[in-house]
C-alpha cells in the first residue's frame, strides 16, 4: 500500500462513540503528511520500523506544539532519551529508522486504559500496512501483542518508557536495533 493511502487511512480513523476519549491529529491541529508525527524526522523507507504503543496524549500536543512542529517528538521524555542513546550506540540516527505506533489516536490523558479491540482496529487499519515487507521492532508489551495478534513478525523489545533501569532499556533497544540492521543487511 502506498504511503499516501496509509496517511489517508490514519486521517479517516476514528472510533465511533469514543470521540471524547480519543482525538485525531486534525482535532488537535497537528495533521500533516505523515502517519505519526515522529515521521517528521524518522521516516526511513529502508530502515527498521519501530512500533510503539501511542504517540502522545492530546494535552501534550498543545503544551509542546512548537518543538513538535520542528521535530515530531519530545526530547525530554524517557522514551526519547532512551531511543536517542540506543541509536547512538547502534551508530544510527533518527533518519535511519521509521517510527510508528500500534494506536493512532491521541487519548485525552496520559496512560489511559486502552481497549484491546481499539488497538487492534487501529493496527489492522493502519500500522500493519506500514510494517508490510519491513523489519519490525515492537517496543513494549502493547506493541508486541498487537504485532502478534496481527501476524506481524517483530523483534520484541522492552518499551523505552518502561519503569526499569535506563542502562537496561538502552542495552535492550541497542541490541534490537543491531539485530534489525543485520536482518536488513
Amino acid at each position: 500500500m502506498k504511503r499516501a493511502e496509509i496517511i489517508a487511512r490514519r486521517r479517516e480513523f476514528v472510533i465511533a462513540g469514543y470521540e471524547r476519549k480519543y482525538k485525531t491529529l486534525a482535532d488537535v491541529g497537528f495533521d500533516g503528511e505523515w502517519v505519526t508525527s515522529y515521521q517528521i524526522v524518522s521516516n526511513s523507507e529502508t530502515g527498521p520500523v519501530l512500533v510503539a504503543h501511542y504517540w502522545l496524549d492530546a494535552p501534550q500536543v498543545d503544551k509542546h506544539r512548537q518543538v513538535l512542529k520542528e521535530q515530531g517528538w519530545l526530547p525530554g521524555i524517557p522514551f526519547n532519551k532512551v531511543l536517542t542513546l540506543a541509536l547512538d550506540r547502534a551508530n544510527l540516527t533518527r533518519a535511519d529508522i521509521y517510527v510508528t505506533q500500534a494506536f493512532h489516536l491521541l487519548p485525552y490523558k496520559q496512560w489511559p486504559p486502552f481497549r484491546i479491540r481499539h488497538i487492534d482496529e487501529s493496527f489492522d487499519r493502519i500500522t500493519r500496512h506500514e510494517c508490510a515487507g519491513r523489519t519490525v521492532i515492537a517496543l513494549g508489551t502493547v506493541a508486541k501483542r498487537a504485532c502478534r495478534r496481527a501476524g506481524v513478525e517483530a523483534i520484541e523489545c522492552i518499551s523505552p518508557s518502561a519503569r526499569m533501569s535506563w542502562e537496561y532499556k538502552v542495552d535492550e533497544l541497542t541490541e534490537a536495533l543491531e539485530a534489525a540492521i543485520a536482518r536488513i543487511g
Side-chain angles (χ1 to χ4, degrees):
M1 179 175 290
K2 293 183 180 174
R3 183 170 170 76
E5 293 174 273
I6 299 170
I7 292 169
R9 282 174 171 255
R10 189 262 305 152
R11 286 181 172 143
E12 295 166 358
F13 182 65
V14 294
I15 299 174
Y18 286 82
E19 294 84 359
R20 296 177 102 179
K21 291 195 178 225
Y22 304 129
K23 302 293 181 196
T24 67
L25 289 175
D27 290 338
V28 297
F30 217 79
D31 193 14
E33 292 304 312
W34 49 72
V35 182
T36 177
S37 300
Y38 266 104
Q39 295 168 9
I40 290 171
V41 176
S42 299
N43 61 5
S44 172
E45 292 181 13
T46 58
V49 175
L50 280 66
V51 178
H53 183 177
Y54 71 101
W55 180 51
L56 285 173
D57 58 88
Q60 292 296 315
V61 176
D62 281 334
K63 185 176 179 182
H64 301 286
R65 187 169 298 278
Q66 190 56 44
V67 70
L68 291 171
K69 280 186 176 186
E70 294 167 11
Q71 299 184 116
W73 54 282
L74 296 175
I77 64 174
F79 181 98
N80 288 312
K81 288 180 177 181
V82 169
L83 180 55
T84 297
L85 291 169
L87 287 168
D88 286 346
R89 284 192 189 171
N91 294 314
L92 297 169
T93 68
R94 286 180 185 268
D96 295 323
I97 60 173
Y98 181 101
V99 180
T100 192
Q101 62 262 345
F103 190 69
H104 287 277
L105 296 174
L106 290 78
Y108 65 99
K109 67 178 184 175
Q110 190 175 24
W111 295 107
F114 288 90
R115 294 180 185 252
I116 291 172
R117 67 184 168 95
H118 294 165
I119 292 167
D120 288 350
E121 186 178 344
S122 177
F123 197 99
D124 185 60
R125 182 107 176 106
I126 303 157
T127 312
R128 72 180 176 92
H129 300 289
E130 295 177 280
C131 296
R134 306 278 304 264
T135 300
V136 176
I137 301 173
L139 300 174
T141 303
V142 171
K144 172 180 69 176
R145 289 179 179 163
C147 285
R148 285 181 185 172
R149 287 190 301 269
V152 172
E153 182 183 333
I155 297 167
E156 296 179 358
C157 183
I158 192 163
S159 171
S161 299
R163 292 190 173 116
M164 302 182 102
S165 82
W166 283 70
E167 192 62 31
Y168 179 77
K169 294 186 294 187
V170 172
D171 287 347
E172 289 291 308
L173 184 50
T174 302
E175 190 175 303
L177 287 164
E178 289 170 344
I181 295 302
R183 284 187 190 181
I184 293 168

